[in-house]
Amino acid sequence: MIKELNRQGTENLVAIANQFAGLGKVTATKAFGSGNINDTFLVTLDSSKQQHFVLQRINTQVFRQPKLIMQNMCIFTEHVRKRLQSTPLNRRWEIPQVLLTKNEQNHWRDADGSFWRAISFIEDSQSFDTMHDRSHAQEIGYALGMFHNLIGDLPPEKLADTLQGFHITPLYLQQYNEALATTKVRKTPEVNYCLQFVSDRQTFAHILENAKTQGILPLRLMHGDPKINNVMFDTATQQAVSVIDLDTVKPGLVHYDIGDCLRSGCNPVGEETENWESVYFDTDLCQGILAGYLGVAKAFLTENDYAYIYDAIRLIAFELGLRFFADYLAGNVYFKVKHPEHNLARAIVQFKLTESIESQETQIRKIIKDIK
């Protein structure tokens, strides 16, 4: 998609950017970031008030109701802005703001019908794909805790559910069982390992959803994709200053965010390793993230919330492995793959991570209890 824009020349892009440039003249545009869903560009302005903003073309194949995403984003960013105004923090913290077009709209549709939006750029900040050390981990945890804290008093029903079924593990299990029933699987040691692994955890898949249904865990707003590279760090202080990529903010359980943050942050060898034996869950990094998170989240977490944190960490690693394996069985239709066995390899990484989490249950529960 980005190549297609380049062929049309940057003139078209500048014309679109100018729809949002209320504070100056557009002087440059360039492709930006490593996201694989939306097309993202950094726009430079000749203005002292605002030097840059982020311009995005929303992928409407993934987000079929982009107007709802923008509606959500306007509601919760305005909520956070007011919270920070009334009770300022003692450190830098920003939330990306929605920029309006010249005729006060939160998006722009071009001649092709493409859906464009602009959001403020967090100046003097950077993100990282892997964690450096324990203090870095603590800042990641702080960022997620602050994000949850600032939207914690916004009623979940005020936001639309922009991705139905996202992070509902029993639904992924159902899709897996359907794929299994309709596929002739070539049995290899790797496939047999995965089949047995899922079979042994069929009932466990329901643990968080059951707690939600029974009213044990409350419905709140969640980020939906709190990978560590969605946390922005101040380039001077190395403190977390923002959480970005806000398209999946929706009603759900904060436990899915906690689990996903730890799953992506505490696996030092990463999701794409071929060396399955080297996969492990680093409890030192886990301790760092949870210390940062619970330091802020104490303000809103209940006793029941604490009781399910370990289950959340275990479940989300299992859930992602389940999704990769189901996609492998279905013929690699959802996740992009580099070779036919790619999703099988990814599934095994997540299952090995789950095993490592399970083998350290006592220690992880002790970490939670000690920080609490």
Side-chain angles (χ1 to χ4, degrees), residues 45 80 122 137 157 160 169 180 209 215 233 248 257 265 298 317 352:
L45 299 174
V80 172
I122 312 292
E157 59 275 11
T169 319
L180 195 58
E209 284 305 302
F233 283 79
T248 50
D257 279 354
K298 280 189 174 104
K352 290 290 183 190

Side-chain angles (χ1 to χ4, degrees), residues 124-138:
D124 304 316
S125 70
Q126 65 190 127
S127 66
F128 303 97
D129 287 325
T130 52
M131 273 195 290
H132 299 165
D133 52 33
R134 181 83 167 267
S135 65
H136 192 197
Q138 200 152 339

Side-chain angles (χ1 to χ4, degrees), residues 162-354:
T162 48
L163 274 180
Q164 297 278 342
F166 185 56
H167 274 324
I168 309 287
T169 319
L171 277 181
Y172 294 127
L173 185 63
Q174 188 185 324
Q175 288 162 5
Y176 162 79
N177 285 324
E178 285 163 10
L180 195 58
T182 55
T183 313
K184 185 92 179 77
V185 191
R186 194 170 66 86
K187 299 286 178 71
T188 63
E190 290 81 12
V191 167
N192 286 340
Y193 164 78
C194 291
L195 290 169
Q196 189 62 51
F197 195 88
V198 177
S199 171
D200 291 343
R201 290 161 184 80
Q202 294 267 340
T203 53
F204 169 63
H206 299 262
I207 190 158
L208 291 186
E209 284 305 302
N210 284 353
K212 185 172 80 180
T213 307
Q214 292 160 15
I216 297 168
L217 295 178
L219 190 71
R220 295 189 181 98
L221 290 175
M222 65 176 194
H223 180 280
D225 189 22
K227 298 193 300 286
I228 61 171
N229 61 4
N230 281 334
V231 175
M232 303 303 294
F233 283 79
D234 186 298
T235 47
T237 65
Q238 289 305 308
Q239 285 187 320
V241 292
S242 189
V243 179
I244 59 164
D245 207 356
L246 307 171
D247 293 338
T248 50
V249 175
K250 66 188 207 93
L253 297 175
V254 294
H255 290 71
Y256 290 125
D257 279 354
I258 298 167
D260 207 18
C261 184
L262 286 151
R263 178 201 63 73
S264 75
C266 302
N267 168 12
V269 296
E271 287 174 25
E272 297 290 335
T273 181
E274 298 280 327
N275 182 6
W276 301 319
E277 298 313 311
S278 69
V279 176
Y280 74 102
F281 183 82
D282 188 323
T283 51
D284 201 40
L285 292 176
C286 168
Q287 214 267 349
I289 292 179
L290 283 174
Y293 179 78
L294 295 175
V296 189
K298 280 189 174 104
F300 61 85
L301 290 182
T302 67
E303 274 303 313
N304 287 340
D305 284 324
Y306 284 103
Y308 281 88
I309 289 176
Y310 165 76
D311 298 308
I313 299 168
R314 179 187 170 202
L315 184 73
I316 297 301
F318 171 68
E319 177 189 285
L320 186 58
L322 179 69
R323 291 174 66 196
F324 283 140
F325 189 42
D327 198 34
Y328 169 74
L329 295 176
N332 304 318
V333 291
Y334 184 83
F335 295 105
K336 287 179 187 167
V337 292
K338 291 177 181 161
H339 54 87
E341 308 290 300
H342 196 171
N343 275 325
L344 177 62
R346 286 165 164 163
I348 294 171
V349 170
Q350 294 305 317
F351 291 158
K352 290 290 183 190
L353 188 64
T354 309

Side-chain angles (χ1 to χ4, degrees), residues 86-98:
S86 62
T87 47
L89 302 178
N90 58 1
R91 57 181 275 178
R92 182 187 175 196
W93 186 262
E94 295 180 36
I95 189 156
Q97 297 295 318
V98 175

